[in-house]
Amino acid sequence: MNQTVTTKRKIFSAIFLMATASIGPLFLLSIAEDTFQFKENLAFIIIMTAIIELGIQMNVWRILTAVNQPANIVIEKIIPKSLPFTSVLVLLGGVAFNILNIAGLGIGMSLLFNVDVKLGASIGILIGILIFLFNKNRMTLYTFVIVLFSFIASIILLSFLFVMFDVPYSLVFAHTVIPDIEFNTITSIATMVALSIGGYISFSGAHRLIDVGVTGEQYKKEVTKAAVFSVLIVTAVRFILFLTILGLTNKNVIIFEDSILEGAFLEIFGDLGIYALGILFIAASISSIIGATYTIGTFIKPVNVIIKTHIDTILMMIVLTSWFVYLLAGEDVMLINVASILNGLIIPVILGGVLHASKRKDITKDYNHPAWLFVYGVISLIVLFALIFISIYDILQLSFYS
């Protein structure tokens, strides 16, 4: 195969791995709920989230591929003996989100095959494990994530086509430019960032590029474009789903707050809506489980040579642990809060270290990180720190006083 084509396939596998890892069941549910709550103002939240995500992703992807090392190894060079801590932090965040992904898988299987949710999750997770185990060379990951994303994008886009003429575009534009900003707006941006690129997700694409050898300064332009493209894909899916729900509410369709997506799909597709939503949840859940598991692997492999040797077995045990916890605890609200806090904290902590590393010549060697990109990253980091701590304060208040 032509070398250029092979390189493009590798880059696209990283882009869509990150995108499909982001677009999990919690991503879908949160957009539906936020649309119900914020109406046209959600457009502003989505745009602000994308701006922050671009500052994070471009810096993370560019710096890590330039030095050809995963994030936790880079942090280890700045803070000696921090490797186990950063690896465990990502592991816990990934496991927490995998429990929620497994819950989403159970919902999808239940909608599609009319089985018990936990039984559906059990069947689905076994299929996911088999896919991961038989994907030994990881190159077929390209085809797999493209297929899953195609299912997700096709269903959401088809849903939008049914309501595209009912969307109040002028109001959406007006509220994007001059939004009604409240405290909930700020916490929603923080949550959206955490769900999109929080924790393991932001590193999935960069670590994939390192795994397949798209590293070094010669690929800096391609890597930057790939980072931008990954954020644009996630933002586009988010925007289309938002406009779909908004179009339905603008038609005065009655949708109950506790089943927004189900009501929307039933209105759009009729009786087939349950099956379309089931397929959407299954595709989103499996892709997010694999994205999380793959990235956890890239973080824990450098910790110990035994882990590296038996990585597939260990990752399978991690997924089974997430499944077991889900069977015992279910989809608890506290778990969602813990997952949000963990994944929200991981990004500013590790991003700060990666940005610092870009100024260390003993780490970057001959690579010179662009000043504008560094400044953009620092601004994103400061904003993100503020948003995350406001969000954590809000979550803790709700947890202790609800």
Side-chain angles (χ1 to χ4, degrees):
M1 187 181 290
N2 184 283
Q3 184 64 36
T4 305
V5 174
T6 303
T7 302
K8 285 183 178 179
R9 285 174 64 90
K10 291 176 180 178
I11 292 172
F12 272 101
S13 73
I15 291 170
F16 285 100
L17 178 67
M18 178 266 160
T20 53
S22 298
I23 307 168
L26 199 57
F27 173 101
L28 301 172
L29 290 169
S30 67
I31 293 299
E33 290 171 3
D34 286 346
T35 305
F36 211 79
Q37 179 181 356
F38 295 106
K39 302 291 192 296
E40 293 85 2
N41 282 301
L42 188 60
F44 170 77
I45 296 172
I46 291 172
I47 296 299
M48 289 304 299
T49 301
I51 292 170
I52 296 169
E53 288 174 355
L54 281 171
I56 296 168
Q57 288 290 76
M58 285 195 291
N59 275 284
V60 167
W61 288 39
R62 180 86 171 248
I63 294 167
L64 294 183
T65 56
V67 301
N68 192 19
Q69 291 177 330
N72 49 340
I73 296 294
V74 172
I75 301 300
E76 171 79 7
K77 291 186 175 182
I78 299 169
I79 308 172
K81 298 183 180 179
S82 64
L83 182 63
F85 171 75
T86 53
S87 301
V88 169
L89 194 61
V90 171
L91 172 63
L92 292 175
V95 166
F97 255 97
N98 257 354
I99 295 168
L100 300 175
N101 289 331
I102 291 168
L105 181 59
I107 293 170
M109 296 290 283
S110 176
L111 290 170
L112 197 59
F113 300 110
N114 194 28
V115 295
D116 176 75
V117 174
K118 289 188 175 181
L119 175 61
S122 302
I123 295 169
I125 204 63
L126 289 175
I127 294 170
I129 289 172
L130 288 173
I131 290 170
F132 190 80
L133 287 176
F134 283 106
N135 190 25
K136 293 289 185 182
N137 62 4
R138 304 287 182 263
M139 283 307 297
T140 54
L141 192 63
Y142 168 79
T143 305
F144 186 67
V145 295
I146 291 289
V147 169
L148 285 174
F149 180 77
S150 298
F151 275 111
I152 295 166
S154 298
I155 293 171
I156 293 175
L157 188 57
L158 188 60
S159 304
F160 171 67
L161 292 177
F162 276 88
V163 298
M164 61 185 297
F165 297 112
D166 300 302
V167 178
Y169 296 104
S170 57
L171 277 175
V172 171
F173 179 76
H175 283 275
T176 303
V177 179
I178 310 173
D180 299 325
I181 299 177
E182 300 173 353
F183 180 75
N184 285 347
T185 308
I186 297 170
T187 57
S188 185
I189 293 172
T191 303
M192 199 172 283
V193 171
L195 289 176
S196 298
I197 59 167
Y200 63 88
I201 300 172
S202 63
F203 306 103
S204 57
H207 285 192
R208 173 64 181 168
L209 290 175
I210 293 168
D211 264 3
V212 296
V214 182
T215 56
E217 200 165 355
Q218 69 268 33
Y219 290 113
K220 62 184 179 183
K221 289 183 180 178
E222 290 85 352
V223 169
T224 305
K225 288 178 183 176
V228 172
F229 195 30
S230 69
V231 173
L232 292 180
I233 288 173
V234 174
T235 303
V237 172
R238 182 182 285 131
F239 227 102
I240 292 168
L241 186 57
F242 151 62
L243 292 176
T244 302
I245 305 295
L246 187 65
L248 287 171
T249 57
N250 193 53
K251 285 176 64 178
N252 295 318
V253 173
I254 298 174
I255 299 176
F256 296 104
E257 193 172 354
D258 59 346
S259 57
I260 299 170
L261 281 177
E262 187 175 340
F265 273 70
L266 283 171
E267 177 64 28
I268 292 169
F269 297 109
D271 292 338
L272 294 176
I274 292 295
Y275 301 106
L277 185 60
I279 294 169
L280 178 62
F281 263 80
I282 290 170
S285 300
I286 290 179
S287 64
S288 198
I289 289 168
I290 289 178
T293 308
Y294 174 85
T295 313
I296 288 170
T298 64
F299 268 88
I300 65 174
K301 273 193 292 187
V303 174
N304 188 286
V305 68
I306 298 174
I307 294 175
K308 187 175 182 179
T309 305
H310 303 285
I311 189 64
D312 281 340
T313 304
I314 291 169
L315 291 179
M316 184 178 67
M317 296 305 297
I318 289 170
V319 173
L320 288 173
T321 300
S322 300
W323 166 68
F324 187 65
V325 172
Y326 165 68
L327 291 181
L328 291 177
E331 190 182 359
D332 191 77
V333 173
M334 182 59 73
L335 179 62
I336 296 174
N337 291 340
V338 169
S340 298
I341 289 172
L342 279 172
N343 285 278
L345 282 172
I346 290 167
I347 276 293
V349 169
I350 299 183
L351 174 63
V354 171
L355 285 170
H356 175 69
S358 71
K359 298 298 178 183
R360 289 267 301 265
K361 280 298 174 185
D362 60 319
I363 297 174
T364 60
K365 308 301 180 187
D366 296 328
Y367 171 70
N368 294 309
H369 196 55
W372 70 269
L373 193 53
F374 178 80
V375 171
Y376 188 7
V378 170
I379 293 170
S380 298
L381 178 63
I382 293 168
V383 172
L384 189 58
F385 255 121
L387 290 172
I388 292 300
F389 279 106
I390 290 170
S391 183
I392 290 173
Y393 173 76
D394 187 52
I395 288 172
L396 292 176
Q397 269 201 324
L398 289 173
S399 299
F400 287 110
Y401 296 106
S402 58

